[in-house]
Amino acid sequence: MLLLGGRLKRAPPQKILCGFCAMMGKLQSKLRHSTYKYSRPDAIREERIQTTAFHEYSPAHVDTVSVVAALNSDLCVSGGKDKTVVAYNWKTGNVVKRFKGHEREITKIACIHTTNQFFSASRDRMVMMWDLHGSSQPRQQFSGHAMVVTGVAVSPDSSQLCTGSRDNTLLLWDVGTGQCVERASVSRNLVTHLCWVPREPYVLQTSEDKTIRLWDSRGLQVAHIFPTKQHIQTYCVVSEDGHKCISCSNGFGGEGCEATLWDLRQTRNRICEYKGHFQTVASCVFLPRTLALMPVIATSSHDCKVKIWNQDTGACLFTLSLDGSGPLTSLAVGDTTSLLCASFSRGIHLLRVDRSQGLELREVAAF
């Protein structure tokens, strides 16, 4: 069932008793009333009112959250304008650990998913490596960019790190030694995001020059340039099998504001476009295949909306409006049914995919 024009509208929350107190602050449970419209198979539009429990967890940050990434099925790592990297248990609502070392806003996070280690990039031109169970000091520091670091990706074997910046350069690092082993520069290549292709030596990169590049880490050379888009490319993500990738476009008033699916194999053609946002699309994810009969993806945008799409047809299956959140800055898969969405004004939103009446997305907590 396709649910069109889905928009969740908040009513004033009603406080109810909750006896649980989180370790880092009190958990508040509220009843949230929301409405959404959908189309039945017989084309009759209906509106339903639903009441769901909503939890206000202890906040992870005291300012805008720029990025969130999943470390494992319980923990996420986030960063923002408060210059702090935070490991957070989003299932219990507790801060696990705070990491301080950057002097300016955190811009990117990259996790090594089989370990408890992760990397943070910042406007202070530094990249730092952290260990969840180590000290509060960075395990390794990577200094070499002349401007804000806007891309960080770790190799599948965790031995190499690729970083990118608005200084038009990509740097390849040895994680163990912290030494830069390769350097590449392309004129006007203001990097916006990096993503390492699973099980391959390739790194995908988006840029403000409206270009998507595929780099070969063996020598750090451009292996392929995808057809130039009409707008700045803000983000990219690669499917788990390494066969496809998605890039996101900036824009305003519905001009641009799309996500694009590309083939990463021999043809490397554009497969599909996802249009429906009205402002810059800041992030996107491939959703677990267990969620629906067809492959699905999700996007988040500066228009305060998260959308779920049919990957193959480009049809929008559901739209969740996070009113009052400000621009949505980052999106990550938490587990098989949960998404984590960072925002400008309201911290991180925990979203849950509900399949009881089609494919729906609901906000269940914020922190």
Side-chain angles (χ1 to χ4, degrees), residues 85-230:
V85 179
V86 177
Y88 199 98
N89 188 321
W90 54 268
K91 290 187 175 179
T92 64
N94 293 328
V95 172
V96 176
K97 198 169 186 178
R98 297 184 186 273
F99 302 85
K100 295 184 178 181
H102 286 292
E103 297 178 355
R104 297 189 66 186
E105 176 184 355
I106 311 300
T107 56
K108 300 289 180 179
I109 299 284
C111 298
I112 305 176
H113 296 289
T114 56
T115 71
N116 292 300
Q117 299 172 345
F118 46 90
F119 301 86
S120 60
S122 170
R123 288 187 176 275
D124 64 9
R125 302 173 292 178
M126 296 286 294
V127 175
M128 297 184 181
M129 181 181 183
W130 310 90
D131 192 320
L132 181 65
H133 301 306
S135 72
S136 58
Q137 299 299 311
R139 178 172 177 174
Q140 192 69 267
Q141 299 188 50
F142 307 85
S143 176
H145 286 291
M147 297 182 70
V148 51
V149 182
T150 49
V152 57
V154 61
S155 65
D157 64 1
S158 310
S159 66
Q160 293 182 310
L161 184 74
C162 187
T163 61
S165 167
R166 287 181 61 85
D167 62 9
N168 302 324
T169 65
L170 265 69
L171 302 180
L172 190 67
W173 306 84
D174 183 298
V175 171
T177 65
Q179 298 298 308
C180 180
V181 295
E182 297 285 355
R183 182 186 184 94
S185 180
V186 176
S187 178
R188 300 182 180 179
N189 183 31
L190 281 71
V191 176
T192 57
H193 196 71
L194 294 173
C195 184
W196 208 296
V197 180
R199 298 175 294 279
E200 297 287 350
Y202 299 109
V203 179
L204 191 68
Q205 179 238 318
T206 48
S207 171
E208 287 192 17
D209 68 1
K210 308 174 185 177
T211 302
I212 305 134
R213 295 177 175 87
L214 189 65
W215 293 81
D216 191 333
S217 63
R218 300 165 296 187
L220 206 56
Q221 301 289 326
V222 176
H224 181 73
I225 300 177
F226 291 85
T228 303
K229 297 283 290 178
Q230 297 297 311

